Structure formats: C-alpha cells, structure tokens
Amino acid sequence: MFLQKRSSEVLTPRWLDGITDPMEVNFVACQLSALCAAFWFRLYLSPGETSPAVRHAFATIFGIYFVIFCFGWYSVHLFVLVLMCYGIMVTASISNIHRYSFFVAMGYLTICHISRIYIFHYGILTTDFSGPLMIVTQKITTLAFQVHDGLGRRAEDLSSEQHRLAVKAKPSFLEYVSYLLNFMSVIAGPCNNFKDYVAFIEGRHTHMKLLEVNWKEKGFHSLPEPSPTGAVMHKLCVTLVSLLLFLTLTKTFPVTSLVDDWFVHEANFLTRLCYLYIVMQASKPKYYFAWTLADAVNNAAGFGFSGVDKNGNFSWDLLSNLNIWKIETATSFKMYVENWNIQTATWLKRVCYERVPWYPTVLTFILSALWHGVYPGYYFTFLTGILVTLAARTVRKNYRHYFLSSKALKAVYDIVTWAVTQLAVSYTVAPFVMLAVEPTISLYKSMYFYLHIISLLIILFLPIKPQAHNQRWPQTLNSLNKKMD
C-alpha cells in the first residue's frame, strides 16, 4: 500500500518542491527561457506591429514546446483535455456548457491524480505532469462559466464582477488553445480571465485597465504606455532571494524532521509548537520562487497590468499569486488564505463559492482539495481548514468589536491574532506537505490535536451570528429557480 511507504518516500516533494531532480531543472530552465521569450514577444511581436492571430500562434507554439520539453509524452494529457473541452465548448448547449466543462476537466484531472498515486507511487517527479494540468483545468472551467454568464444568463442575474468578465461570444479554436497553452502560464500559471488575455493579445490590456480606474490624462492626447521593466526587476529580485532561502533555510529545516523521534517523543509541547512554525516557514520559499517567477514572465510579455495604486503608481499585480507581506503579517486565517495562491482562491470563489446556494465554505474547501489531488494529507489540511475557518469567524464576530475602542487595545488584538494565525496555519497546512496518513497522525498526536479540539469547542459553545454570505442566497436561489422553469 502506498500509505506504508517509508517516510522519506512519503515526504518526497512535488514538482515545485526543489531543483535537484531533472524535472525541476527542466522547470527552471523552461521558466527562464519563457522569461527571455516574453521580453522578445513584447518587443518584436508588439500588438501595434503584429496581428492578434500571429501573437496567439507564437504564444501557443512556445507553450506547447515548453510543455513537451518539461514532461515529454505525458504532455499528451494536457492536449487531450484541451481538445475534449473545446469539443464541449463548440457542441454543448449554453445552458450546460459550464457543467459539462467542469465535470470533464475535474474528472480527467482527478483520474490523473489517482494514477500518480497508485501507478507512479506518489508521483515520481519525472512523470508529474499534474501541475500544468491543474492550471489548464482552472482556465477551462473559468472560461466555460464566463461563456455561460455571457450567453446563457440575464444581465440582472449576474453580479457586477460576473457581468464585467462575461464572454459574449464563443472563442475560436486559436483563441482557445492560446488562452490555455500560452507559454507565459502553461507551466506554473497563474490562471487569468479570458477577456484580460484577449485584450493583452490585441493590445488593449493596459488602456482597458487605465480606463477602468478612470484615468484622466493631463496635458497629453493619448493614454500612457506603462512599462513592466521595473516590476519585472523587482519580482526577479524576490525570486532570487526566495531561491537563496530555499537552498539554505528549507534544506536546514526539512519537513521530514516533523516525524523524527526527537520531535515526536522527546520535545515538549511548546518546543514542538515553535519548531513546527519554523519548519512551515522554511517550506514557503519554493512557492515564493515559482509563483513570483511565473508572475515576472507574464509581466515581461506585457501582461498583468492592473491599473494605478493609491499613490498614483502603475501596478503590475493583476496576475500575482501571493502577497508576501500580507501573508507574513496576517492577523486572521481568512487574510492569510486570501493572500496565498491568490489566483486559485479567486478561481474557487468564481466557480464555486459565489454560485452554490448552500454550505459555500465547505463545498469550496472540498473542491480545493479535489483540485489539488488525492493525497490524504490534502484532505487533512482542508478538513482542518474548514474547522479553523468557522471557529476563527465565530471568535472574530463575537469578540473583535471589544478591541476597537482604542489604539492600544487594537494593537494588542493584532499581535495576539497574528501569533494565533501563524501557529494555526502551520498546524493546518503541515499535512499538505507531509502528504500521507501516518506522518500526519504522528504529528497531530504529538500536538494532542489541540487545534481541532479548540476549534470544535468554539463552534459548539460560542453563538454563531448570521453571515453576510447568507444575504446573497435568495438571489442565487431565484436564479436557480428561473433556470428550472
């Protein structure tokens, strides 16, 4: 059984988790090559001098090449899924296009996840094609729902964001494959909106974002052309620092140490608590590295402009997958989650949380777990996350207002909630990187399941106040009833 493998095998990192395996070397090589290709793409295939069809074609060709270089014949899985879902896009009725696309994409992804567990023994790194497949699944479902919103629903039934992102015409085959397989995001993401991507290819991206924030040019007859160079350089510096931290901090405090005899049997509870926090902190740089580099690649191509910040500076964070400062200073579980893997959280919100009429938090966590894979550790993390989220929400609604009467009390509240949040996140996400049942149970036993017990007690004995989310249920139910009529 795969759950009985040695802990060193059970804790083998996934496709982002290192740069010592040949596939990780391929990943880094592809992303650095994509960075160079992105600069070339922006300078020599600019939308002012090149037709959208040519830009779509080159973005797709480069993306297909990088996928094949990284994953060899296993890249066929991506192409098969893309072709199947384009068939759905073309042939399915508008009323069902989002459902069919969702179930086919998620079903195919789940089958591949299962095959990696039972056939490839916890995902041998040279055959782990699941990362790009996960990104493609996000994009397929995002586009399917946006097409359904644009062609199959009435404007008054849409939220303002759904109305803004709704796609009013089915994409051509070239647009479809370019959106899903372009070289900027096919390897490491992030997911983005179809309308934003098409606007970028057609050269309307930056002007569209400036108009969205009511930019008023003074003294000039045209809108400015913001340069991404500064943003790219900044993100490359973050990438370099993250790589150095990975090569030092991550190697010094490996996740495997959480199943060592010293940690499980000898250290006291407070020591375990602090050491778990340190180990989880040490596991972050690999994600900071991969996601920030992916963001830089998109920016280098001219994609990712988000408008103007509160200080009047141009921002290039439309596709950013994390906000490191807000993660490290988060004072609530919600704040932490919202700034970690941002684009995935946005995808979950748009295809699940905003659309289901019942138990949105629970169903969103379940979808997130299914999307990530079938490692048991994922389900420990997400089930624990449901408890912690509900408990944290209950505590916040019952007690936060008592600490807002003065700056001193608010400062004390922020310090305490920061410490609690960081420790709670470390406890919750540990199974996510440990993957298997045995090391997870060993860890939680050594921690006396303390956070599970505290969260359950809070949920059971503190009054639960109405959630703002409930206010949108009548509208959602009304929309569902109209569809059924």
Side-chain angles (χ1 to χ4, degrees):
M1 290 291 292
F2 65 90
L3 296 181
Q4 296 175 335
K5 288 184 174 293
R6 299 190 309 271
S7 61
S8 60
E9 294 174 328
V10 165
L11 296 170
T12 299
R14 298 186 62 208
W15 67 287
L16 288 179
D17 294 3
I19 56 170
T20 56
D21 183 273
M23 203 217 68
E24 274 76 26
V25 174
N26 286 353
F27 166 76
V28 175
C30 278
Q31 287 298 81
L32 293 178
S33 298
L35 182 66
C36 297
F39 280 113
W40 178 85
F41 189 81
R42 180 168 62 89
L43 295 175
Y44 295 99
L45 290 181
S46 62
E49 301 176 356
T50 310
S51 69
V54 172
R55 283 168 59 84
H56 276 304
F58 270 90
T60 305
I61 292 168
F62 286 160
I64 291 173
Y65 172 78
F66 288 147
V67 168
I68 293 174
F69 176 81
C70 244
F71 305 101
W73 287 109
Y74 294 98
S75 57
V76 169
H77 287 286
L78 272 78
F79 308 143
V80 168
L81 179 58
V82 169
L83 293 175
M84 284 196 305
C85 289
Y86 183 71
I88 294 173
M89 179 66 66
V90 172
T91 60
S93 64
I94 291 300
S95 60
N96 290 312
I97 195 170
H98 57 307
R99 295 189 184 95
Y100 294 161
S101 296
F102 180 87
F103 285 113
V104 169
M106 283 299 302
Y108 194 91
L109 175 65
T110 302
I111 290 171
C112 290
H113 279 318
I114 292 172
S115 72
R116 290 176 54 249
I117 292 281
Y118 291 96
I119 299 174
F120 299 124
H121 307 297
Y122 268 90
I124 298 172
L125 292 172
T126 53
T127 63
D128 189 0
F129 51 88
S130 64
L133 199 63
M134 292 161 71
I135 300 299
V136 167
T137 297
Q138 285 187 347
K139 289 186 177 183
I140 287 171
T141 53
T142 295
L143 178 54
F145 275 98
Q146 290 173 353
V147 169
H148 173 68
D149 289 343
L151 298 177
R153 298 177 66 191
R154 300 188 307 177
E156 56 266 30
D157 292 332
L158 303 176
S159 68
S160 58
E161 183 182 55
Q162 289 170 349
H163 186 270
R164 178 177 63 85
L165 298 175
V167 177
K168 301 295 185 179
K170 290 185 178 182
S172 67
F173 179 72
L174 181 59
E175 289 174 331
Y176 193 81
V177 297
S178 175
Y179 171 64
L180 297 179
L181 300 176
N182 70 81
F183 73 95
M184 297 168 291
S185 60
V186 69
I187 299 295
C191 180
N192 51 72
N193 297 304
F194 180 76
K195 288 180 74 172
D196 288 333
Y197 180 73
V198 171
F200 155 69
I201 290 292
E202 295 178 354
R204 300 180 286 106
H205 174 59
T206 55
H207 289 177
M208 184 177 72
K209 293 300 177 183
L210 287 171
L211 292 173
E212 283 181 4
V213 295
N214 297 319
W215 173 272
K216 294 182 178 180
E217 189 67 21
K218 297 181 180 180
F220 297 93
H221 297 292
S222 61
L223 292 170
E225 292 290 345
S227 171
T229 304
V232 173
M233 293 300 107
H234 171 75
K235 290 171 184 178
L236 289 180
C237 289
V238 173
T239 298
L240 180 60
V241 172
S242 300
L243 179 60
L244 293 175
L245 288 174
F246 170 75
L247 295 174
T248 54
L249 188 64
T250 306
K251 300 296 184 182
T252 304
F253 299 99
V255 177
T256 51
S257 61
L258 297 179
V259 295
D260 289 346
D261 288 339
W262 167 82
F263 181 88
V264 175
H265 300 295
E266 298 178 14
N268 59 46
F269 178 76
L270 184 60
T271 301
R272 291 172 189 159
L273 204 63
C274 295
Y275 193 75
L276 174 62
Y277 171 73
I278 293 171
V279 171
M280 290 298 100
Q281 286 292 101
S283 70
K284 293 179 184 177
K286 57 180 173 283
Y287 299 101
Y288 291 173
F289 168 81
W291 287 338
T292 307
L293 180 56
D295 196 9
V297 169
N298 281 275
N299 290 170
F303 190 26
F305 181 71
S306 58
V308 182
D309 64 18
K310 61 182 179 181
N311 298 318
N313 301 315
F314 295 133
S315 297
W316 288 84
D317 59 358
L318 180 71
L319 306 176
S320 295
N321 231 343
L322 74 168
N323 185 318
I324 297 175
W325 174 253
K326 289 185 177 181
I327 288 170
E328 300 300 342
T329 60
T331 56
S332 71
F333 201 83
K334 178 176 180 290
M335 180 179 175
Y336 195 106
V337 171
E338 286 178 347
N339 290 283
W340 175 272
N341 206 352
I342 295 171
Q343 303 307 324
T344 293
T346 300
W347 170 72
L348 290 167
K349 181 187 75 171
R350 289 174 178 166
V351 304
C352 183
Y353 189 85
E354 292 180 340
R355 297 179 187 270
V356 296
W358 301 284
Y359 308 111
T361 299
V362 174
L363 291 175
T364 300
F365 271 109
I366 292 173
L367 175 58
S368 183
L370 286 172
W371 177 78
H372 278 90
V374 292
Y375 291 113
Y378 296 163
Y379 295 86
F380 276 99
T381 287
F382 290 113
L383 290 174
T384 303
I386 293 172
L387 284 177
V388 174
T389 299
L390 295 176
R393 184 182 295 163
T394 302
V395 170
R396 181 181 178 88
K397 290 185 176 182
N398 278 277
Y399 296 108
R400 183 175 183 270
H401 59 278
Y402 293 119
F403 295 87
L404 301 180
S405 58
S406 70
K407 291 184 178 179
L409 283 175
K410 180 62 166 57
V412 171
Y413 177 85
D414 288 342
I415 293 171
V416 172
T417 53
W418 171 83
V420 170
T421 297
Q422 299 300 320
L423 293 176
V425 169
S426 299
Y427 179 96
T428 302
V429 303
F432 191 92
V433 293
M434 302 180 79
L435 301 180
V437 171
E438 290 180 0
T440 297
I441 295 298
S442 174
L443 171 67
Y444 280 163
K445 278 185 176 179
S446 71
M447 305 295 290
Y448 310 113
F449 291 91
Y450 84 94
L451 192 59
H452 290 90
I453 295 171
I454 291 173
S455 298
L456 282 171
L457 291 175
I458 289 172
I459 293 170
L460 290 174
F461 294 106
L462 280 183
I464 300 177
K465 298 184 178 181
Q467 300 178 20
H469 185 85
N470 292 343
Q471 298 173 1
R472 71 166 180 83
W473 285 10
Q475 180 182 356
T476 305
L477 289 170
N478 186 45
S479 299
L480 289 174
N481 291 333
K482 287 177 181 177
K483 292 175 186 177
M484 295 173 64
D485 291 341

